[in-house]
Amino acid sequence: MRSALILAGGRGERFWPWSRPGHPKQLLPLANGKILLTATLERLHGVVPPETTWILTGADLAPRVLPLVGDRARVVEEPV
């Protein structure tokens, strides 16, 4: 069975000026107008099952990531 790990943390410093602490790149509409995280999950659909798709994000971003993910993956929150 295949697994996928999507790294969706960070402070929004490397893609400045578009990405900022309040608007990290994984939550920006960059991929043909789609939010980067959503576009990544769409590419994985049919390739990796949701029960073995993991998203690693910070605890501060989790409230914004969880609604985007729904039942398409499991979200793991890093405390720091």
Side-chain angles (χ1 to χ4, degrees), residues 24-47:
K25 69 178 172 278
Q26 60 270 23
L27 301 178
L28 293 176
L30 299 174
N32 296 325
K34 294 182 183 179
I35 293 174
L36 196 56
L37 180 57
T38 303
T40 302
L41 287 168
E42 288 175 3
R43 286 193 309 275
L44 287 172
H45 181 73
V47 178

Side-chain angles (χ1 to χ4, degrees), residues 3-59:
S3 297
L5 174 63
I6 301 168
L7 303 177
R11 295 178 299 205
E13 296 174 345
R14 293 196 181 126
F15 203 63
W16 187 90
W18 298 283
S19 178
R20 295 189 251 350
H23 301 286
K25 69 178 172 278
Q26 60 270 23
L27 301 178
L28 293 176
L30 299 174
N32 296 325
K34 294 182 183 179
I35 293 174
L36 196 56
L37 180 57
T38 303
T40 302
L41 287 168
E42 288 175 3
R43 286 193 309 275
L44 287 172
H45 181 73
V47 178
V48 180
E51 59 270 11
T52 60
T53 300
W54 300 87
I55 298 175
L56 184 60
T57 192

